[in-house]
Amino acid sequence: MTRFNGEALSRETAADGEEEEWKEEEWKKEEKKEDSRDAREAIIELDDVAFGYTATPVVENVSLRIDPGEYVAIVGPNGSGKSTLLKLVLGLLRPDRGTARLFSQPAHQFDDGSRIGYVAQHASASKSMPITVREVVKMGRFPHVGFGRLGASDREIVEEAIGTVGMSSFADRRITALSGGQRQRAFIARALAGEADLLVLDEPTVGVDADSVAAFYDLLEALHGQGITIILIEHDLSAVTAHAERAVCLNREIYFDGPTDEFTPENALARTMGATAEPERETT
Amino acid sequence: MIDALVVPMQQGVFELLLSPLFWILEAWYWLLVQVYHVTGLEMLSPDYRFMYRAILVGLCIGIVAPLIGTFLVHRQLALIGDALAHTAFAGVAVGLFLNAILDLGVSPYLTAVVVAVIAALVIELISEVTDAYNDVSMAIVLSTGFALGSTLISINAGGLSVGIDQYLFGNLSTVSPTNAVILLALFVAIVGTVAVTRNQLLYVTFDETAAAVSGLSVNWYNRILVMLTALVVVGAMQIMGVILVAAMLVVPVAAASQLSRSFTESIYVSIVLAEAAVLLGIGVAYYGRATGGPVIVLVAVGIYVIAVLAGKVRTALTGQTAPSTGRIEVNRAPSTGDKHE
């Protein structure tokens, strides 16, 4: 979502009164849109965040707001701080400077894990772990049941989530016996079973074949259409421009934040991917 | 039966707390006497009550070791049992040392529990603080534990003549009633904790980052898991010995992984296989006049080999390969109902 630059607009002088009036109306409309957006609960708000594992920052000067229902791709080269930014967003790391808020709470204190579905490239378990798709999807219900057992309604939700991602016939298969694309669908089903408002995917299509990647993005688009907020870490730029609504280009700092259709023409890509130009914070 | 309640009370508060478990032990004696009368098996003769206790301890270990081992193996922490067994050895040495110097009369297995739990937490602490891989922290704790145990024993009165072999290799005949009851208490604590935290332990085992994102305190569940491992190790040490105790955590689980289709099934299968190894091992050791721990491990490894072959045969027969991609039913909306429970 392109940030509205009211100051720049006000500096422009209109040639005639009609145009000035039109601009004034546009300005008011944009301001109204900003106000209504501010009134909603932002999913994510980063304000001047900086973080480094050592003295050298991995990310810095990062300000970002993601609203409900957005489909945002965070792109950048290897080592650009994408995964670190994701950890800051999810509260797994605390910023050295600035603030990170998740669902209006400080991210590191956020405790309603059921609102977030997380899909990584791989699970951390050994490949020999005999665990079925259904057992993985059930994990999505764990934040809801705590130390209790899953009830009939939980099991119903699990089956529905498995069906949503087209994995019903694979529910009793070991997840390690599935292809990469099928595994990722199972992880998305886990997020759906948790009834997550926010789906966070960390390079989910690495090692997945082309056909499965296409089906995977179809699924994401369908879920986005149902109102789920999606944050996608990706370095396949063609996938980003083809599917996401908004791109955030990161290489330690944010070089571009706007609609994906404005992404390439802005030349942000070259700067994000390693050119030496001075960072340009917001592009409209 | 009355003796079972009265005698422990005379022995102090500790025994008083454990008196219900002494009653269970008495009930176990009674049960095996009945089995003896039915089967006539010599090893179950009422004259050999030490065998009754060895079988009870073995059966408990056959449940808790694979129960905890399932989480460890799939987190690729199979060797943590070995590390903690060596620190439990240090705990035994601390107990023997204190008894020799201060005449405390404390069971070496109790000091082993304390030292092993502390060592388990140290392993986790080293991993958390230094970002060292777990195998590094395990190697450090393993070496330190064995060095400490060896040092204490070497400076103890009588040096190595304190009968340390039973701790190194285990011994079916040295399971005292008090030690059997301590094991029962550990059994209750371990099974109860896993029953309550199963969901959390499974989530952390399968996907640590996703578990953290879902709001679980991964560090705390890691600590719980290593502490439970320490308790299993000390319990199993009585019949398995320090050197072989890790086998019961790993081998039945590895065998079950070859045969099971799901995580839940793998827990049950690993317990069945471990119990088979324990009972067969104790039987073979008794009639073959061999040491129990090593025979149990050899039987368990034999079962593992059979499981691997059975797994290969099943794969060949069913022809299971990577399945083809299924259709995505994107028209079906995910549930948006209220949060449940």
Side-chain angles (χ1 to χ4, degrees):
Chain A
M1 203 160 290
T2 311
R3 295 278 183 274
F4 173 67
N5 194 336
E7 194 186 342
L9 187 59
S10 67
R11 276 204 301 268
E12 288 180 15
T13 50
D16 56 48
E18 202 175 295
E19 194 178 337
E20 198 166 333
E21 201 175 303
W22 176 81
K23 282 192 171 177
E24 184 72 18
E25 270 177 30
E26 284 297 302
W27 188 86
K28 280 178 181 167
K29 271 187 208 166
E30 289 286 352
E31 200 173 46
K32 216 171 180 180
K33 224 157 83 180
E34 283 284 293
D35 288 345
S36 71
R37 201 179 62 172
D38 287 341
R40 281 188 297 167
E41 180 194 42
I43 300 267
I44 285 157
E45 280 179 293
L46 301 181
D47 183 21
D48 195 25
V49 162
F51 177 84
Y53 297 99
T54 59
T56 309
V58 178
V59 292
E60 62 180 342
N61 304 328
V62 171
S63 294
L64 182 69
R65 176 185 167 118
I66 297 176
D67 287 316
E70 287 198 82
Y71 185 168
V72 182
I74 299 174
V75 294
N78 287 337
S80 61
K82 300 189 298 290
S83 293
T84 300
L85 182 66
L86 198 64
K87 286 178 180 171
L88 289 162
V89 160
L90 294 171
L92 301 176
L93 294 173
R94 289 182 70 167
D96 295 335
R97 196 185 69 220
T99 56
R101 298 180 74 80
L102 184 58
F103 293 103
S104 301
Q105 289 179 36
H108 66 278
Q109 290 174 355
F110 182 74
D111 57 1
D112 187 1
S114 66
R115 299 188 74 178
I116 307 168
Y118 175 76
V119 178
Q121 289 174 35
H122 305 289
S124 54
S126 71
K127 286 181 180 172
S128 65
M129 185 172 184
I131 188 164
T132 63
V133 169
R134 182 177 283 110
E135 285 177 316
V136 170
V137 178
K138 278 181 181 176
M139 291 176 193
R141 299 303 300 163
F142 289 171
H144 297 267
V145 300
F147 294 115
R149 291 283 174 262
L150 268 60
S153 59
D154 296 303
R155 287 195 289 272
E156 199 177 307
I157 291 167
V158 166
E159 296 306 320
E160 200 174 334
I162 293 171
T164 299
V165 299
M167 294 291 286
S168 294
S169 52
F170 299 83
D172 292 319
R173 293 281 186 106
R174 272 195 191 203
I175 197 154
T176 47
L178 302 181
S179 69
Q182 289 164 336
R183 268 201 300 274
Q184 297 300 51
R185 280 201 244 161
F187 293 150
I188 287 184
R190 179 177 65 189
L192 297 180
E195 298 172 303
D197 303 317
L198 170 64
L199 189 57
V200 179
L201 305 104
D202 188 0
E203 303 200 50
T205 56
V206 170
V208 177
D209 64 274
D211 286 347
S212 299
V213 168
F216 183 79
Y217 280 112
D218 286 346
L219 173 62
L220 287 189
E221 280 192 15
L223 296 174
H224 175 236
Q226 291 164 8
I228 294 178
T229 308
I230 295 175
I231 300 177
L232 174 69
I233 297 272
E234 186 57 272
H235 61 236
D236 178 357
L237 295 170
S238 60
V240 168
T241 50
H243 299 287
E245 285 178 338
R246 173 181 165 194
V248 175
C249 299
L250 183 78
N251 196 354
R252 197 172 73 181
E253 297 186 45
I254 291 179
Y255 283 80
F256 175 89
D257 180 1
T260 45
D261 54 7
E262 292 178 12
F263 176 43
T264 308
E266 295 283 342
N267 199 26
L269 177 63
R271 273 181 266 132
T272 307
M273 292 301 181
T276 53
E278 282 298 304
E280 184 180 296
R281 295 306 317 285
E282 293 285 327
T283 310
T284 56
Chain B
M1 201 68 77
I2 292 170
D3 284 350
L5 292 173
V6 173
V7 172
M9 284 182 199
Q10 291 169 340
Q11 290 174 350
V13 176
F14 176 68
E15 280 80 4
L16 177 65
L17 290 173
L18 294 178
S19 58
L21 298 175
F22 277 102
W23 186 86
I24 291 175
L25 189 60
E26 283 295 321
W28 176 252
Y29 290 157
W30 178 85
L31 181 68
L32 285 200
V33 168
Q34 306 313 308
V35 174
Y36 169 72
H37 289 315
V38 172
T39 62
L41 284 171
E42 182 197 331
M43 64 184 268
L44 297 181
S45 163
D47 296 334
Y48 301 148
R49 287 211 162 186
F50 69 90
M51 285 303 293
Y52 291 13
R53 293 190 291 274
I55 292 170
L56 178 65
V57 168
L59 290 175
C60 289
I61 296 306
I63 293 173
V64 291
L67 186 64
I68 298 299
T70 300
F71 295 104
L72 295 177
V73 167
H74 299 307
R75 295 205 66 190
Q76 305 180 61
L77 292 173
L79 285 178
I80 197 170
D82 224 7
L84 293 177
H86 285 74
T87 57
F89 172 72
V92 166
V94 168
L96 294 172
F97 185 79
L98 291 176
N99 288 342
I101 304 297
L102 303 172
D103 197 22
L104 288 180
V106 65
S107 167
Y109 287 108
L110 282 180
T111 51
V113 168
V114 174
V115 172
V117 167
I118 292 171
L121 293 174
V122 168
I123 288 176
E124 267 308 300
L125 192 67
I126 292 173
S127 296
E128 290 167 22
V129 171
T130 67
D131 285 336
Y133 289 116
N134 269 314
D135 56 352
V136 173
S137 55
M138 280 189 268
I140 292 168
V141 171
L142 184 151
S143 312
T144 309
F146 207 68
L148 178 64
S150 303
T151 305
L152 286 176
I153 285 168
S154 67
I155 61 175
N156 195 7
L160 286 171
S161 65
V162 292
I164 207 68
D165 278 4
Q166 65 171 305
Y167 299 107
L168 288 176
F169 304 108
N171 194 329
L172 297 179
S173 63
T174 56
V175 181
S176 69
T178 302
N179 287 343
V181 161
I182 290 173
L183 190 277
L184 280 176
L186 294 179
F187 176 84
V188 171
I190 294 163
V191 172
T193 306
V194 173
V196 171
T197 59
R198 179 188 181 277
N199 289 350
Q200 289 74 14
L201 290 176
L202 172 58
Y203 209 165
V204 171
T205 298
F206 181 69
D207 194 339
E208 201 171 277
T209 308
V213 171
S214 80
L216 294 183
S217 173
V218 171
N219 283 344
W220 272 108
Y221 286 104
N222 283 339
R223 289 171 199 155
I224 288 172
L225 186 61
V226 292
M227 283 193 286
L228 293 175
T229 308
L231 299 184
V232 171
V233 161
V234 174
M237 201 170 69
Q238 297 186 59
I239 60 170
M240 303 300 298
V242 165
I243 294 170
L244 296 171
V245 72
M248 287 307 285
L249 286 163
V250 175
V251 180
V253 177
S257 296
Q258 301 293 322
L259 303 172
S260 311
R261 286 162 298 184
S262 70
F263 185 78
T264 307
E265 188 179 296
S266 78
I267 288 180
Y268 292 126
V269 171
S270 62
I271 288 173
V272 168
L273 297 181
E275 295 295 15
V278 165
L279 291 176
L280 273 172
I282 289 177
V284 170
Y286 177 81
Y287 290 106
R289 300 188 184 285
T291 307
V295 176
I296 292 171
V297 172
L298 288 175
V299 172
V301 172
I303 290 172
Y304 170 72
V305 172
I306 293 168
V308 170
L309 294 174
K312 297 286 180 201
V313 169
R314 190 176 69 174
T315 305
L317 290 177
T318 56
Q320 273 194 9
T321 53
S324 59
T325 305
R327 190 171 62 86
I328 299 174
E329 300 157 22
V330 290
N331 55 324
R332 290 183 56 188
S335 171
T336 52
D338 294 331
K339 306 280 187 218
H340 294 262
E341 295 168 62

